[in-house]
Amino acid sequence: MLDNIRLSTDETAVVIIDQTKLPGKTEYLRLTTAAQMREAIITLQVRGAPAIGIFAAYALYVLARSIPKKADFFGTLKELKNYLNGTRPTAVNLSYALERMLSVAKKAGSNREKVLRALGEECKRIQNEDIAVCRSIAEYALTLLKDDRGILTYCNAGPLATSRYGTALGGIFLGFERGYKFSVYCCETRPLMQGARLTAYELAEEGVNTTLICDNMASRVMSEGKIHACFVGCDRVAANGDTANKIGTSMVAVLAKHYKIPFYVFCPTSTLDMKCKSGRDIVIETRSDEEVHTGYFRERLAPRDVKIYNPAFDVTPANLITAIVTENGICRPPYEDSLKAISR
Ligand code: MRU
């Protein structure tokens, strides 16, 4: 598996795999400036809720190290935090990780070296925690699966979207290691094709039996009896269990309900937003027209002047979700109670 986010050895840069180039090219980017880091999140060079949190934590550390000695350290740190946080609104992991960094810095006192040490430790801790959390989610996921099962997944919630294992894909990888024979159907995930480019790539690289389908084929494969469970990741879970994930996820959940297929959501507890009462309070990112017009097509497909609407996420209502699987256990409805019981 690829090391998708890391700190450079001299701790002056964050090194990432440019996810926009996968699977054709494995290109590493060495990011040193706030503008490059912000751009990396916005353009999805780094993407996936946990991954952007981890990345932003490293980014803030690297940037903190370069705050001039004469500058107002905490004032600048806060500005940098807001600058990075203003990139993508839906995934709560971004603000969660940045808040953690800021609070550690404040607690470390006023000695600059001490604060930097604390920040350096915290970003590494955030990444190491993610690895352990994904491993635990994977173990819980496996309790939901039997051998020879067909699983449908949407977007990418694999190692590239976290730092190892992934959330929705973690159980699939772990089961595969233990000899389970799963058949995984990946939806392409229009318009940015995270399913086709990243999920299909991650699964096929490891040797998992993988089939790529267009998003509008999900109903067909479900009706053919090929799917026994849907596994998806998420960007923010409200206190009532409503869940935001990549645009199109709720469409899969509606279909799963129709075909009586369990629909599972996987996430670290850092993706739970207990302050957010329901899906109505989740801010949905809207992205550029270009992604729909041109995106991964060789040339513009639709008429130049056609109106585009490009919401990047949607909310799956809690009543369509069979269970929400976290590192602390499997939550089932009513989610108001089960999520409260396991949240940090
Ligand atoms: O726009 P993206 O590619 O960042 O969207 C990612 C998703 O929707 C993932 O399913 C989600 O972040 C979970 S990643 C473990």
Side-chain angles (χ1 to χ4, degrees):
M1 276 179 200
L2 303 168
D3 213 359
N4 58 332
I5 308 167
R6 65 176 177 82
L7 204 52
S8 65
T9 346
D10 61 2
E11 306 200 338
T12 59
V14 190
V15 181
I16 58 165
I17 289 182
D18 182 350
Q19 295 196 37
T20 63
K21 300 274 168 59
L22 288 171
K25 275 192 206 146
T26 305
E27 208 170 283
Y28 287 87
L29 301 174
R30 195 175 185 283
L31 309 173
T32 53
T33 69
Q36 288 171 339
M37 291 162 181
R38 185 178 153 91
E39 193 63 9
I41 302 176
I42 292 174
T43 59
L44 313 192
Q45 288 172 326
V46 58
R47 50 143 299 283
I52 53 180
I54 296 161
F55 171 78
Y58 278 134
L60 194 63
Y61 171 54
V62 165
L63 297 173
R65 284 170 45 101
S66 62
I67 296 175
K69 290 238 161 66
K70 283 187 191 136
D72 162 15
F73 184 86
F74 280 100
T76 314
L77 192 68
K78 210 163 165 205
E79 272 169 27
L80 289 165
K81 178 208 153 222
N82 293 339
Y83 182 67
L84 294 171
N85 200 28
T87 46
R88 301 194 73 192
T90 308
V92 70
N93 309 63
L94 178 61
S95 53
Y96 162 82
L98 288 168
E99 280 305 334
R100 257 179 81 163
M101 292 292 282
L102 203 68
S103 120
V104 147
K106 281 183 193 150
K107 278 193 201 124
S110 52
N111 178 289
R112 182 190 163 98
E113 290 315 310
K114 232 172 130 188
V115 174
L116 286 176
R117 208 171 318 120
L119 284 171
E121 283 164 9
E122 189 66 3
C123 53
K124 291 167 199 157
R125 194 173 301 123
I126 289 173
Q127 185 168 38
N128 288 332
E129 272 176 25
D130 179 75
I131 295 169
V133 157
C134 287
R135 176 76 193 192
S136 165
I137 292 173
E139 290 286 357
Y140 281 116
L142 258 194
T143 67
L144 302 168
L145 288 171
K146 293 198 191 99
D147 199 5
D148 266 329
R149 300 280 89 176
I151 302 154
L152 182 136
T153 187
Y154 201 82
C155 194
N156 173 262
L160 285 162
T162 56
S163 53
R164 298 266 159 84
Y165 310 114
T167 54
L169 298 193
I172 296 170
F173 285 126
L174 194 63
F176 181 73
E177 257 172 53
R178 294 181 185 168
Y180 287 68
K181 286 177 210 69
F182 299 134
S183 302
V184 184
Y185 289 80
C186 315
C187 294
E188 277 182 324
T189 317
R190 276 280 287 148
L192 294 177
M193 305 293 187
Q194 290 93 331
R197 295 185 299 106
L198 308 174
T199 304
Y201 165 68
E202 287 182 326
L203 290 167
E205 276 286 290
E206 292 298 309
V208 178
N209 179 12
T210 307
T211 306
L212 178 65
I213 58 168
C214 300
D215 301 338
N216 53 4
M217 296 170 190
S219 177
R220 179 69 196 164
V221 294
M222 287 184 187
S223 75
E224 289 170 341
K226 291 182 170 133
I227 308 298
H228 304 100
C230 299
F231 274 28
V232 300
C234 61
D235 287 74
R236 192 181 295 250
V237 180
N240 71 344
D242 289 350
T243 292
N245 191 48
K246 179 51 54 195
I247 188 74
T249 305
S250 67
M251 172 183 77
V252 173
V254 171
L255 290 174
K257 180 101 170 173
H258 176 77
Y259 291 107
K260 301 191 174 39
I261 296 167
F263 182 90
Y264 297 112
V265 169
F266 298 83
C267 66
T269 48
S270 55
T271 306
L272 306 180
D273 184 356
M274 302 305 280
K275 287 198 267 339
C276 182
K277 279 205 188 105
S278 80
R280 278 194 298 274
D281 306 317
I282 300 177
V283 178
I284 298 293
E285 174 186 11
T286 312
R287 296 181 60 87
S288 83
D289 294 2
E290 279 312 302
E291 292 181 348
V292 177
H293 259 309
T294 320
Y296 283 89
F297 298 121
R298 214 166 277 180
E299 58 193 55
R300 183 182 297 273
L301 197 79
R304 183 169 296 275
D305 297 330
V306 76
K307 234 194 303 164
I308 302 279
Y309 176 47
N310 184 15
F313 296 90
D314 64 20
V315 174
T316 300
N319 69 334
L320 298 180
I321 300 173
T322 311
I324 299 174
V325 183
T326 74
E327 76 277 18
N328 291 346
I330 301 179
C331 299
R332 295 194 184 261
Y335 291 114
E336 278 85 354
D337 302 333
S338 57
L339 290 175
K340 202 186 280 171
I342 57 98
S343 60
R344 314 169 178 233

